[in-house]
Amino acid sequence: MKHLISPLDLSVEELDHILCLGQDIMKNPEKYSHVCEGKKLATLFYEPSTRTRLSFEAAMLNLGGKVLGFSSADSSSAAKGESVADTIRVISSYADICAMRHPKEGAPTVAAMHSEIPVINAGDGGHNHPTQTLTDLITIKTLMGRLDNMTVGMCGDLKFGRTVHSLINAMVRYPNVRFILISPTELMIPDYLRKEVLDANNIEYIETNDLEKFMPELDILYMTRVQKERFFNEEDYIRLKDSFILDAAKMEYAKKDMYVLHPLPRVNEIATEVDNDPRAVYFKQAKFGVYVRMALIMNLLGLD
Ligand code: CP
């Protein structure tokens, strides 16, 4: 039985297989509309979500399966003090696969240890969000035709932004990917990522707080929101929340074939005037997330 807790749980070959399957689903969705008949997906969301939970549910429904679950800790027996370990033991007899989001880092790992069904990490605290990474990768691969030989700018909250951590972990495995890490000093990437992932793999990267300066070099600009829910005091959040705002004027510095991605939700960090720029692909990205989650569900259930 396989789980997906970190992007590194998938080899590059497995990752490429899931992305190719997702692209085939994108082209021929009807071919896959009965693949999961008789199967159930449980969505166990202890933290708010729009895209991840609903795209997982859409993915299972598109595959002909059924869905059940809860969308907040308060509406589950976690509110009465039930542990993740006990919850997953019970859910294992109600569903064939589950996607779990939890504010505590490592909660999906604990779930996987006690589960009889595949567990998918749908975001754990400030740690990882591997299915957002699959979404980001299928978007880049579909639009650019490759995942190697590119300069990726990541801008905003690189400290708490789990999507950034997962995407860096995944992309360092492709040749000649260079990173420009754009953030306020307080929101730079965690030290473990710098030492154990970037330095350990001899990856070229620059850390800066100057978006305009590096804009002309970027093939991808991955914007992120400042993660209000991870701050210990509101003053710091208010001071840092509008550190970077991408607008039409800044887009003038970018290559004509650069793409702007964002895991969403957006708050202020991308002005709505950018939405009509053909290089702004974040809503397309959210749509691609359904196809790649369909591919992942099939893969973990052994139906591919
Ligand atoms: N990108 C993402 O994880 O969005 P949600 O928080 O809405 O699921």
Side-chain angles (χ1 to χ4, degrees):
M1 185 174 60
K2 287 196 289 183
H3 305 285
L4 180 65
I5 305 300
S6 144
L8 298 179
D9 292 342
L10 297 169
S11 66
V12 172
E13 291 73 26
E14 287 171 319
L15 201 52
D16 288 343
H17 166 70
I18 290 171
L19 298 179
C20 287
L21 179 57
Q23 287 181 314
D24 194 56
I25 294 170
M26 199 184 297
K27 283 188 216 128
N28 308 293
E30 67 292 339
K31 200 168 109 186
Y32 298 90
S33 59
H34 300 287
V35 172
C36 282
E37 266 173 9
K39 302 285 183 194
K40 282 177 274 183
L41 165 79
T43 50
L44 314 180
F45 276 61
Y46 295 82
E47 221 186 29
S49 167
T50 296
R51 271 146 297 275
T52 311
R53 186 171 67 84
L54 296 179
S55 67
F56 261 118
E57 295 190 359
M60 192 48 148
L61 295 171
N62 289 348
L63 291 167
K66 293 194 164 65
V67 296
L68 65 161
F70 54 82
S71 59
S72 72
D74 286 349
S75 63
S76 78
S77 284
K80 302 175 203 161
E82 186 172 50
S83 68
V84 162
D86 283 0
T87 302
I88 196 68
R89 278 196 186 101
V90 173
I91 299 297
S92 292
S93 59
Y94 297 167
D96 301 283
I97 185 167
C98 84
M100 173 183 285
R101 170 169 290 187
H102 202 288
K104 285 202 180 136
E105 298 169 7
T109 307
V110 173
M113 287 162 60
H114 296 89
S115 181
E116 290 170 25
I117 58 173
V119 174
I120 302 169
N121 178 3
D124 61 329
H127 192 217
N128 265 317
H129 193 345
T131 66
Q132 181 62 48
T133 302
L134 292 176
T135 301
D136 303 337
L137 294 179
I138 198 171
T139 305
I140 297 171
K141 188 176 162 85
T142 302
L143 297 176
M144 298 188 65
R146 66 179 197 279
L147 289 168
D148 52 13
N149 295 299
M150 64 180 74
T151 297
V152 179
M154 296 183 150
C155 178
D157 184 349
L158 309 188
K159 178 179 180 181
F160 296 118
R162 59 194 173 196
T163 63
V164 167
H165 307 161
S166 289
L167 188 56
I168 291 176
N169 261 301
M171 289 206 79
V172 295
R173 300 190 291 173
Y174 293 91
N176 198 24
V177 175
R178 170 176 178 258
F179 296 97
I180 310 291
L181 303 170
I182 307 146
S183 71
T185 310
E186 294 94 328
L187 297 179
M188 288 163 80
I189 55 165
D191 213 31
Y192 84 87
L193 208 54
R194 190 177 297 109
K195 287 187 182 141
E196 294 168 29
V197 180
L198 294 169
D199 293 342
N201 289 288
N202 289 320
I203 305 298
E204 190 184 333
Y205 67 96
I206 293 170
E207 297 189 86
T208 178
N209 61 7
D210 193 341
L211 174 60
E212 282 94 330
K213 178 178 170 190
F214 288 98
M215 198 77 165
E217 297 184 25
L218 306 181
D219 298 302
I220 296 289
L221 173 58
Y222 193 87
M223 291 297 295
T224 62
R225 144 186 97 87
V226 174
Q227 305 266 307
K228 182 180 183 184
E229 63 276 31
R230 315 261 177 247
F231 275 75
F232 291 111
N233 78 67
E234 196 166 351
E235 271 171 38
D236 284 348
Y237 170 71
I238 290 167
R239 182 168 54 82
L240 293 168
K241 72 183 173 66
D242 293 330
S243 299
F244 299 97
I245 298 178
L246 182 66
D247 56 16
K250 290 196 185 78
M251 287 295 285
E252 293 286 321
Y253 294 100
K255 290 181 186 174
K256 295 287 170 243
D257 58 354
M258 182 200 72
Y259 289 110
V260 182
L261 276 70
H262 190 309
L264 303 177
R266 154 181 62 186
V267 186
N268 276 335
E269 59 281 356
I270 303 180
T272 52
E273 66 188 13
V274 178
D275 296 355
N276 292 329
D277 188 309
R279 296 169 291 182
V281 294
Y282 26 90
F283 292 114
K284 198 177 269 185
Q285 183 185 354
K287 183 175 174 185
F288 288 172
V290 177
Y291 304 121
V292 84
R293 288 184 174 99
M294 289 169 73
L296 176 67
I297 291 169
M298 285 177 59
N299 179 260
L300 293 180
L301 289 176
L303 299 171
D304 50 342

